[in-house]
Amino acid sequence: MDRKEVLETRGYLSDVAVWPSPSRMDLGGWLDNFDQGLDSEIAIALLEAHVHIDEEQIVYAVASTIRGISSRVEFGDSISRAANWSEFVRDVLISFPLSRSGDPTASGYVFARIAKRLRFEENRILDSEHLIKKILTSGPSSVIFLDDLAASGTQFTRDWRRRYQTDSGKVSLADLQSKDFISSAYYLPVVATQDAITKIESECGVIVAPTYSLDRDYQALDANTRLVPVALRPSLPEFFAKYSPRTGRDEYGPVGYGDLGLALSFHHSCPNNTLPVLQWSPCAESWRPLLK
């Protein structure tokens, strides 16, 4: 795909509201950041590979993934499944992992709003601190955790082990699980890497069921990366070393947090695991970001 084609196809996605609105996108300006020739080819390939998930897609993904767990064996056979699922949905608590305790900017609060749209009662939608306190008061409960991305799995595992002050002392979700106060736990990120799934399930004993799972070949520096054609793969390290510092968004290195190098964004945020060259504003003054 050449420059004209990628501008037309991505511009169309913006026009039909799958990507952010044309007034916010600067596709041509972003491509102008890169030198002509090989660098431009790589940039065009990355733009073509970039996945943006808008709000309605997220709502649909969350609803679909919640329904999907109803087919699991723990909900019984075809005769008992409907009644067991109805009881589960009636009583289950909804939560979301936070990178830091009480972080009001965390994407988890986006999923609290989505849970309300899906008609879960507000008093059952809780951050980790209030979830722990409710379970201590109400007794053993099942929990669904919602999120946009499980990239490395670190955010979830930290939140799982984070202790909060309660009337019973400092308590974490891991503590509650060890005492059988969590009957079952499902973590349903919209997107998860296979490494994150393995880490969370092995360290936390939580069932991870993402809408979309990513193998390592969705990472920019994987030897078999899908993000660019085979002929361009050897040039990627030099490309990122050259352009990432220009973005002003390379605080986690040339390919983003955890060296994952994803090409992914959501309507509410661009993860720090995404390539710096694809990150949204604010950026360095001399850099024209993809999204204003």
Side-chain angles (χ1 to χ4, degrees), residues 132-203:
I132 289 169
K133 292 176 179 178
K134 184 173 182 67
I135 292 175
L136 286 171
T137 302
S138 304
S141 305
S142 293
V143 186
I144 289 175
F145 297 90
L146 303 177
D147 205 357
D148 50 9
L149 173 66
S152 65
T154 300
Q155 178 172 304
F156 186 92
T157 56
R158 284 178 179 169
D159 193 61
W160 186 252
R161 299 184 181 114
R162 185 178 292 124
R163 286 189 164 94
Y164 295 93
Q165 188 62 52
T166 73
D167 292 341
S168 303
K170 288 191 172 183
V171 180
S172 69
L173 291 166
D175 295 330
L176 292 181
Q177 183 191 51
S178 69
K179 296 175 181 178
D180 295 327
F181 272 76
I182 294 180
S183 307
S184 58
Y186 302 88
Y187 178 40
L188 311 182
V190 177
V191 180
T193 67
Q194 285 297 327
D195 288 343
I197 294 171
T198 300
K199 179 181 178 69
I200 294 166
E201 290 189 335
S202 63
E203 293 185 17

Side-chain angles (χ1 to χ4, degrees), residues 165-283:
Q165 188 62 52
T166 73
D167 292 341
S168 303
K170 288 191 172 183
V171 180
S172 69
L173 291 166
D175 295 330
L176 292 181
Q177 183 191 51
S178 69
K179 296 175 181 178
D180 295 327
F181 272 76
I182 294 180
S183 307
S184 58
Y186 302 88
Y187 178 40
L188 311 182
V190 177
V191 180
T193 67
Q194 285 297 327
D195 288 343
I197 294 171
T198 300
K199 179 181 178 69
I200 294 166
E201 290 189 335
S202 63
E203 293 185 17
C204 304
V206 173
I207 296 165
V208 184
T211 310
Y212 308 104
S213 61
L214 303 181
D215 291 323
R216 289 183 179 178
D217 55 6
Y218 282 92
Q219 300 175 22
L221 295 185
D222 185 81
N224 299 307
T225 183
R226 296 169 177 256
L227 300 188
V228 300
V230 174
L232 299 179
R233 290 173 184 168
S235 302
L236 286 176
E238 183 178 350
F239 175 88
F240 295 127
K242 177 179 179 180
Y243 289 103
S244 293
R246 300 183 187 183
T247 68
R249 299 300 302 273
D250 65 330
E251 63 267 36
Y252 298 113
V255 295
Y257 185 80
D259 293 331
L260 293 183
L262 303 180
L264 177 69
S265 62
F266 300 92
H267 86 281
H268 55 275
S269 69
C270 191
N272 58 18
N273 314 93
T274 290
L275 293 164
V277 295
L278 293 172
Q279 288 282 342
W280 298 350
S281 56
C283 296

Side-chain angles (χ1 to χ4, degrees), residues 30-187:
W30 181 79
L31 286 172
D32 288 340
N33 290 309
F34 307 96
D35 295 337
Q36 293 300 306
L38 178 62
D39 290 356
S40 182
E41 287 183 51
I42 293 173
I44 288 169
L46 291 174
L47 184 57
E48 185 180 4
H50 180 66
V51 174
H52 179 79
I53 304 179
D54 71 15
E55 183 172 11
E56 291 308 310
Q57 288 173 313
I58 291 173
V59 173
Y60 178 82
V62 170
S64 176
T65 310
I66 290 175
R67 287 194 299 270
I69 62 175
S70 68
S71 63
R72 294 184 58 86
V73 64
E74 56 262 38
F75 292 101
D77 57 22
S78 58
I79 297 173
S80 60
R81 185 179 308 277
N84 291 339
W85 177 249
S86 294
E87 181 180 359
F88 174 83
V89 171
R90 184 191 67 215
D91 297 334
V92 69
L93 303 177
I94 307 295
S95 191
F96 40 89
L98 299 178
S99 57
R100 297 182 302 278
S101 176
D103 181 4
T105 64
S107 61
Y109 291 102
V110 172
F111 289 85
R113 293 194 293 271
I114 289 174
K116 292 177 188 176
R117 285 187 59 178
L118 297 177
R119 299 187 179 181
F120 287 99
E121 293 92 341
E122 188 168 357
N123 65 356
R124 289 197 284 138
I125 306 170
L126 307 153
D127 62 21
S128 298
E129 179 177 6
H130 293 93
L131 174 66
I132 289 169
K133 292 176 179 178
K134 184 173 182 67
I135 292 175
L136 286 171
T137 302
S138 304
S141 305
S142 293
V143 186
I144 289 175
F145 297 90
L146 303 177
D147 205 357
D148 50 9
L149 173 66
S152 65
T154 300
Q155 178 172 304
F156 186 92
T157 56
R158 284 178 179 169
D159 193 61
W160 186 252
R161 299 184 181 114
R162 185 178 292 124
R163 286 189 164 94
Y164 295 93
Q165 188 62 52
T166 73
D167 292 341
S168 303
K170 288 191 172 183
V171 180
S172 69
L173 291 166
D175 295 330
L176 292 181
Q177 183 191 51
S178 69
K179 296 175 181 178
D180 295 327
F181 272 76
I182 294 180
S183 307
S184 58
Y186 302 88
Y187 178 40

